[in-house]
Amino acid sequence: MTKKESLKLFEDRKVRTVWDDEQEKWYFAIVDVVAVLTDSSNPQTYWRVLKKRLLSEGNETVTNCNGLKMQAADGKMRMTDVADTEQLFRLIQSIPSPKAEPFKQWMARVASDRVDQLQDPELSIDQAIMDYKRLGYSDNWINQRIKSIEVRKELTDEWQRSGVSGPQYASLTDIITKEWSGRTTKEYKNMKGLKKENLRDNMTNVELALNTLAEASTTEISKDRNPKGFNQNAAVAQSGGSVAKAARQQLESQLGRSVISSTKAKDYLLPDSEKPKDEE
């Protein structure tokens, strides 16, 4: 399965999803769906009990559900029961909830949007913008974040061209982050009090700009030096990070303070009353 994990939002609740390129299907983390529909304080237990009951009844939908590794609340990849759209429609019938019908409509939109996005990639960007707006991010921050996603994609494409495999991306990213910020990704997240949250989604405008500069610089230097393999790419990553480091130090000398902040997203997101509402 060629899969791409992502988060979707239903009424500001996160639902882990995976897109299977080969089967062209969405898979949804069942426990996340249970949490949304039931508001249970322990959706794992709710699903475990429901699953046992349905299996004892010979429910074929549960029998055919797959397990995939997805990022858990502690940030680790763990096996999670998932269901495709058709399976989930059937499972929802076994969960009494006033949110069942709205959730079914939401699932249908997710499936439809993905088909449209495959035809027009700009729609994926539009969806990301809407999701960030719903979470309360400012327009200025969103514009920077969308640009940073584009820059990151260019960098990973360049790494792939240079003979670096996917699992090594994290190590190279650590080198870049450590060089410009003075902290590894883990240290940076710890400073901000983050666990499973995305570091970039919790950067200030300045931090995000510097991180984007570091990654864009790494891409351009790589194109110029044409490195091969991990070690040569690691040297390029350090060089790219040093460009942003110089910019950070120059800015800090003007401000007289550090621009590396312990501030995280929830400290500056718009209050619920100012967040845009979904159309009915």
Side-chain angles (χ1 to χ4, degrees):
M1 177 188 292
T2 303
K3 54 186 184 296
K4 299 175 183 177
E5 185 175 346
S6 65
L7 285 174
K8 299 295 180 186
L9 294 174
F10 173 78
E11 297 181 352
D12 291 337
R13 300 286 294 276
K14 294 180 179 179
V15 178
R16 289 169 294 169
T17 63
V18 169
W19 173 256
D20 183 344
D21 281 333
E22 296 174 6
Q23 298 188 45
E24 296 189 349
K25 285 184 178 181
W26 277 114
Y27 286 90
F28 300 80
I30 297 175
V31 69
D32 292 354
V33 176
V34 169
V36 167
L37 295 180
T38 66
D39 291 321
S40 170
S41 60
N42 195 336
Q44 291 86 355
T45 299
Y46 189 107
W47 167 235
R48 188 161 55 246
V49 173
L50 176 61
K51 181 180 179 181
K52 183 177 180 180
R53 176 172 67 81
L54 293 175
L55 284 172
S56 68
E57 295 173 355
N59 187 295
E60 292 186 4
T61 299
V62 176
T63 303
N64 295 330
C65 284
N66 296 308
L68 292 176
K69 278 194 173 182
M70 304 181 82
Q71 190 175 51
D74 59 6
K76 296 181 180 179
M77 300 300 290
R78 301 185 186 279
M79 289 299 294
T80 304
D81 286 334
V82 298
D84 64 26
T85 306
E86 182 179 350
Q87 292 169 330
L88 206 50
F89 270 117
R90 293 173 181 168
L91 284 177
I92 289 174
Q93 295 175 5
S94 302
I95 304 175
S97 170
K99 299 179 183 178
E101 287 307 315
F103 191 85
K104 288 179 182 179
Q105 294 171 14
W106 174 81
M107 277 201 307
R109 287 199 304 272
V110 168
S112 174
D113 288 348
R114 178 59 187 176
V115 173
D116 292 341
Q117 289 164 9
L118 289 173
Q119 301 297 323
D120 184 359
E122 287 188 9
L123 293 176
S124 296
I125 297 175
D126 291 341
Q127 182 62 53
I129 291 173
M130 287 190 292
D131 287 344
Y132 281 127
K133 280 183 177 292
R134 278 198 292 268
L135 288 170
Y137 288 93
S138 69
D139 289 341
N140 184 39
W141 186 95
I142 292 171
N143 290 336
Q144 286 198 66
R145 183 68 177 101
I146 296 302
K147 184 61 180 178
S148 76
I149 293 172
E150 177 187 338
V151 169
R152 177 69 180 181
K153 179 63 167 59
E154 290 179 2
L155 176 58
T156 55
D157 286 347
E158 178 63 17
W159 279 340
Q160 186 176 32
R161 185 193 68 80
S162 301
V164 176
S165 61
Q168 295 173 318
Y169 291 178
S171 298
L172 292 175
T173 300
D174 256 356
I175 293 171
I176 295 173
T177 306
K178 175 75 172 178
E179 182 62 24
W180 79 260
S181 72
R183 293 171 174 80
T184 64
T185 303
K186 183 177 181 180
E187 291 169 344
Y188 212 149
K189 292 181 73 171
N190 286 341
M191 181 192 70
K192 287 180 177 285
L194 305 176
K195 293 182 179 179
K196 65 176 181 177
E197 300 93 335
N198 184 293
L199 176 58
R200 293 176 184 83
D201 284 350
N202 286 274
M203 286 182 171
T204 64
N205 286 0
V206 172
E207 289 173 311
L208 191 57
L210 289 170
N211 191 72
T212 302
L213 173 61
E215 294 193 336
S217 299
T218 301
T219 300
E220 293 306 311
I221 294 171
S222 178
K223 290 177 180 178
D224 184 66
R225 295 185 186 175
N226 197 30
K228 297 298 179 185
F230 178 81
N231 290 337
Q232 291 183 18
N233 274 282
V236 169
Q238 188 168 13
S239 296
S242 68
V243 174
K245 177 182 179 180
R248 174 179 66 82
Q249 291 175 335
Q250 185 174 2
L251 177 58
E252 288 176 341
S253 69
Q254 295 291 323
L255 297 174
R257 60 176 173 81
S258 174
V259 296
I260 305 299
S261 172
S262 60
T263 301
K264 49 185 175 289
K266 72 176 185 179
D267 297 328
Y268 55 80
L269 292 183
L270 294 173
D272 289 342
S273 60
E274 296 182 27
K275 292 179 183 178
K277 303 297 183 182
D278 291 336
E279 295 182 2
E280 297 296 333

